[in-house]
Amino acid sequence: MSLLPVSEALERILASFEKLDSLHIPLKDSVGRILAEEIVSATDLPLFDNSSMDGFALRASDVTQAGSATPISLPVVDDIPAGKMPTHHLQVGEAARIMTGAPLPPGADAVVPVEETDFNNRAPGAALPESVQIFKAANLGANIRKRGTDIQHGESILHAGQRLRAQDLGMLAMLGVADVPVCRKPRVALLSSGDELTPIGQPLTEGKIYDVNSYTLGALLEAAGCEIIPLGVAADTPEAIKAALYSAKDADLILSSAGVSMGSFDFIKDVIEKEGKLNFWRINMRPGKPLTFGHYQNIPFIGLAGNPVSAFVGFMVFVRPVVEKMLGSSQQAQIVVRARLTEPIQSDGRESYLRAYLYHENGQRYAKLTGHQGSGNLFSMVQANALLIIPPEVKSLPTGAEVTAWLLE
Ligand code: AMP
Ligand code: MG
């Protein structure tokens, strides 16, 4: 039986998802969220002409002859700290003390920093001098931040679909945006399945292992911006699986791992077939061939293979793009680079995802496999910083061949 190509599997999965609705949340909670609407500036920034230095505001034409041996003395007619409005319209031959960020007084067209005056005394509380000696000529506009030079009213600042970073939050604060339109977090019900799985914190009895995928997939989901509905670990019976899935009623996606192979205790596929609709259950991929996709009572269901590496890779290939689509994210799910192999690679003709360590040498990026590629060997994933993608049909690649790689954050 020919297996479904990865690209077609992804297309079929993505077709079942839509962008979710949005809501407004407080700015301080919005880092990492996906912006739901374009942000257009409702103001000029800076909002008013202001000084970029602590110094003296004046008219440049009054100090063209100023020099260290020929200082020009000007009366100081105003004192303008940040946050206060000037009280004088500056006349020819006048100066006003001004602090960084304070509004420029009308009539002034330059600021001379204190360092270039005889008032180079920034001790807090220094009294306003009656006059100031200017030691240096100033260019027109010197040390003035003009209104609207950074951002103009109506300018597009952030686009819908971008993930908000610290600097974006700062920008929104600068614009006075207190509530940010973001996409609702996708709700993902997360299920592990298998009689052998023991929750961590409990002693292992003979033949058992700890549940790994709840943690890996949980962390990946959270990092991708999802809210998790934990369904725990289901035993290998159809009843236990159905009982666990009952709590997934409000989910946008059910994500399970294991129980989808050809084993005598792999019931996930049966449950989906009986309680919903199976779309496909095997794909041309390594690791992660037994990927199951369908709907459980109208909720999209992705059943990843159970081995820890298979589950991880399956997430990267199929779940991450689904999450990005639900979030309306404009960013690519994966960061793609090219690298040269430092050793030959054998493949079985399936689209393969190999764990590798990428490094730079002499301006070239190289990829070195991180140990054996068994789908249970999570340590090789721990040592990896990238997944190499070996296309379908490729059976071997020589040392030095260039391959595509996804960076693992
Ligand atoms: P299965 O698809 O149920 O046959 O699982 C394939 C392999 O993955 C088996 O060796 C399982 O023990 C292992 N496995 C499945 N789920 C988990 C999990 N949550 N944590 C660790 N190993 C798992
Ligand atoms: Mg199992």
Side-chain angles (χ1 to χ4, degrees), residues 38-41 151-152 155-159 162 171-172 175:
E38 181 188 20
I39 300 291
V40 172
S41 181
I151 285 172
Q152 303 218 319
E155 200 172 326
S156 176
I157 307 301
L158 299 171
H159 63 263
Q162 76 178 85
M171 188 73 247
L172 290 166
L175 296 172

Side-chain angles (χ1 to χ4, degrees), residues 6 16 36 127 140 144-145 201 235 258 260 281 291 339:
V6 171
S16 284
L140 206 60
I144 293 173
R145 301 188 282 217
V260 285
W281 66 284
L291 183 94

Side-chain angles (χ1 to χ4, degrees), residues 54 79 81 97 99 114 119-129:
D54 294 335
D79 194 12
R97 183 166 70 169
M99 298 296 131
V114 284
F119 191 72
N120 193 3
N121 171 7
R122 291 199 239 180
L128 190 68

Side-chain angles (χ1 to χ4, degrees), residues 193-197 234 236 257-261 263 265-268 306:
S193 70
D195 285 344
E196 74 281 29
L197 302 180
D236 282 323
S257 62
V260 285
S261 315
F265 299 91
D266 292 335
F267 293 114
I268 294 273

Side-chain angles (χ1 to χ4, degrees), residues 93-364:
E94 290 180 340
R97 183 166 70 169
I98 191 164
M99 298 296 131
T100 305
L104 193 73
D109 56 25
V111 169
V112 173
V114 284
E115 293 86 342
E116 286 157 12
T117 73
D118 68 342
F119 191 72
N120 193 3
N121 171 7
R122 291 199 239 180
L128 190 68
E130 274 181 17
S131 66
V132 62
Q133 308 247 23
I134 307 294
F135 294 137
K136 204 171 167 192
N139 291 327
L140 206 60
N143 303 311
I144 293 173
R145 301 188 282 217
K146 293 286 285 179
R147 174 182 181 130
T149 43
D150 295 346
I151 285 172
Q152 303 218 319
H153 181 272
E155 200 172 326
S156 176
I157 307 301
L158 299 171
H159 63 263
Q162 76 178 85
R163 196 176 289 271
L164 293 170
R165 307 160 300 170
Q167 59 266 48
D168 303 324
L169 266 65
M171 188 73 247
L172 290 166
M174 219 173 222
L175 296 172
V177 177
D179 294 303
V180 189
V182 297
C183 187
R184 167 168 85 68
K185 285 188 172 194
R187 284 188 291 268
V188 181
L190 182 59
L191 177 69
S192 285
S193 70
D195 285 344
E196 74 281 29
L197 302 180
T198 306
I200 56 163
Q202 292 180 20
L204 285 180
T205 54
E206 257 179 308
K208 309 278 186 187
I209 58 170
Y210 284 121
D211 168 22
V212 169
N213 297 341
S214 293
Y215 295 91
T216 322
L217 296 174
L220 286 166
L221 285 169
E222 254 177 39
C226 299
E227 191 180 305
I228 296 168
I229 304 169
L231 302 185
V233 177
D236 282 323
T237 64
E239 295 71 33
I241 293 164
K242 276 190 254 177
L245 293 182
Y246 182 77
S247 307
K249 283 192 304 290
D250 296 328
D252 300 300
L253 163 68
I254 301 169
L255 183 63
S256 82
S257 62
V260 285
S261 315
M262 307 277 270
S264 312
F265 299 91
D266 292 335
F267 293 114
I268 294 273
K269 184 166 80 67
D270 291 354
V271 170
I272 297 306
E273 265 176 329
K274 293 207 177 83
E275 306 281 324
K277 196 167 185 321
L278 184 70
N279 191 312
F280 62 80
W281 66 284
R282 287 210 296 173
I283 57 170
N284 191 31
M285 176 168 149
R286 185 181 71 139
K289 179 168 81 170
L291 183 94
T292 297
F293 174 63
H295 284 76
Y296 175 79
Q297 298 178 353
N298 297 323
I299 304 170
F301 177 97
I302 299 177
L304 300 172
N307 272 304
V309 174
S310 311
F312 188 108
V313 171
F315 183 96
M316 298 289 284
V317 177
F318 299 104
V319 185
R320 185 77 204 261
V322 158
V323 172
E324 299 290 349
K325 182 169 184 186
M326 284 194 276
L327 286 169
S329 165
S330 59
Q331 85 187 33
Q332 248 189 314
Q334 316 298 353
I335 301 171
V336 183
V337 299
R338 300 278 288 169
R340 266 184 211 292
L341 296 177
T342 59
E343 61 202 291
I345 279 179
Q346 313 300 322
S347 190
D348 67 356
R350 281 184 277 166
E351 180 163 329
S352 299
Y353 291 76
L354 307 181
R355 287 137 267 166
Y357 184 76
L358 301 190
Y359 62 95
H360 276 92
E361 211 171 84
N362 304 325
Q364 173 66 48

Side-chain angles (χ1 to χ4, degrees), residues 14-150:
L14 285 173
S16 284
F17 293 88
E18 293 299 332
K19 183 173 179 294
L20 302 176
D21 42 349
S22 59
L23 73 167
H24 282 76
I25 62 168
L27 177 60
K28 70 174 173 55
D29 300 329
S30 67
V31 73
R33 300 296 293 266
I34 304 293
L35 193 61
E37 292 165 23
E38 181 188 20
I39 300 291
V40 172
S41 181
T43 173
D44 288 340
L45 282 179
L47 187 52
F48 48 86
D49 295 356
N50 69 90
S51 177
S52 67
M53 301 285 260
D54 294 335
F56 289 85
L58 44 68
R59 294 168 182 255
S61 57
D62 287 342
V63 294
T64 48
Q65 301 306 315
S68 50
T70 54
I72 288 178
S73 182
L74 300 175
V76 179
V77 300
D78 200 0
D79 194 12
I80 319 164
K84 289 266 158 54
M85 286 307 287
T87 56
H88 279 62
H89 186 123
L90 217 65
Q91 303 299 318
V92 174
E94 290 180 340
R97 183 166 70 169
I98 191 164
M99 298 296 131
T100 305
L104 193 73
D109 56 25
V111 169
V112 173
V114 284
E115 293 86 342
E116 286 157 12
T117 73
D118 68 342
F119 191 72
N120 193 3
N121 171 7
R122 291 199 239 180
L128 190 68
E130 274 181 17
S131 66
V132 62
Q133 308 247 23
I134 307 294
F135 294 137
K136 204 171 167 192
N139 291 327
L140 206 60
N143 303 311
I144 293 173
R145 301 188 282 217
K146 293 286 285 179
R147 174 182 181 130
T149 43
D150 295 346

